Amino acid sequence: MVTAPEGSIGRVVIGAEELAQRVRELGAAITADYQGRPPLLVGVLKGAYVFMADLAREIDLPVEFDFMAVSSYGESTQSSGVVRIVKDLETDISGRDVILVEDIVDSGLTLRYLRQLLGDREPASLEICALLVREGAQTDDVKFFGFPIPPDFVVGYGLDVAEHYRELDSIMVFDPA
Ligand code: IMP
Ligand code: MG
């Protein structure tokens, strides 16, 4: 039997229009920075896929796509502290200008792990583009980010709780029961 996660959807934190506007700005900033060296966008599945689809269409350069899947949370809303590669890249990134596209930087653990892993493969450059950054998270190495986000667990626009609510077009609070 398929069951919905225990809890309910609360207030809208970032609405669809606000998301679209900010994604346009991020696309413009990347377009300006990457003239003459079109980037390879590396999306972190599954949470980043909605953001990356919209972002790519706001970048006025011939971008390429690849994806990685990592698992760090399982089905809970708490970090397990363990990052595991579920799917690796298909592209050789050595000499490439790589932008790692993330849904949210929370503890920063996933990002630290991926930055190290991809950095070891000797890309020409490696930058991070994260839609959301948890307030108080360390953001020095996040070159492009959309919005700071309060401590509440959020869903929508690609973000899930136990695989639910990724399809919502706004970022909304999820209140566990
Ligand atoms: P970090 O390793 O703690 O930075 O966690 C990063 C990952 O945790 C993100 O890519 C998300 O998949 C997940 N995550 C963290 N906070 C939230 C949230 O509020 N909603 C949904 N997923 C979250
Ligand atoms: Mg996730």
Side-chain angles (χ1 to χ4, degrees):
M1 193 179 75
V2 179
T3 53
E6 303 260 338
S8 59
I9 295 296
R11 70 191 166 86
V12 174
V13 184
I14 308 164
E17 278 306 314
E18 217 182 330
L19 285 166
Q21 176 57 36
R22 189 71 187 118
V23 172
R24 275 195 290 278
E25 292 169 4
L26 290 170
I30 290 170
T31 302
D33 272 24
Y34 285 82
Q35 289 296 314
R37 48 178 195 121
L40 172 71
L41 303 180
V42 171
V44 184
L45 292 173
K46 303 170 199 167
Y49 89 98
V50 175
F51 173 45
M52 185 156 131
D54 286 346
L55 178 69
R57 288 176 291 178
E58 297 295 345
I59 299 173
D60 192 13
L61 293 168
V63 299
E64 290 176 42
F65 284 51
D66 204 344
F67 293 96
M68 295 193 74
V70 298
S71 165
S72 56
Y73 275 62
E75 300 215 329
S76 98
T77 57
Q78 293 293 306
S79 177
S80 64
V82 178
V83 180
R84 185 169 61 87
I85 294 192
V86 177
K87 180 206 173 297
D88 204 339
L89 295 176
E90 291 168 12
T91 314
D92 176 4
I93 64 166
S94 72
R96 300 298 305 267
D97 291 290
V98 175
I99 303 177
L100 187 61
V101 181
E102 258 279 36
D103 53 357
I104 178 170
V105 178
D106 186 19
S107 68
L109 188 85
T110 307
L111 204 59
R112 194 161 67 230
Y113 176 81
L114 288 176
R115 180 179 266 290
Q116 178 75 53
L117 183 90
L118 298 184
D120 286 348
R121 298 180 187 178
E122 301 183 339
S125 65
L126 176 59
E127 298 293 353
I128 313 293
C129 181
L131 178 67
L132 308 174
V133 172
R134 192 73 75 191
E135 280 168 11
Q138 213 270 101
T139 56
D140 291 357
D141 63 351
V142 182
K143 180 148 188 192
F144 306 99
F145 80 89
F147 301 90
I149 191 104
D152 317 79
F153 195 85
V154 291
V155 296
Y157 200 68
L159 288 95
D160 73 308
V161 56
E163 299 303 329
H164 285 257
Y165 308 120
R166 295 191 194 274
E167 77 282 13
L168 300 179
D169 65 2
S170 302
I171 301 283
M172 303 179 80
V173 171
F174 176 79
D175 299 309

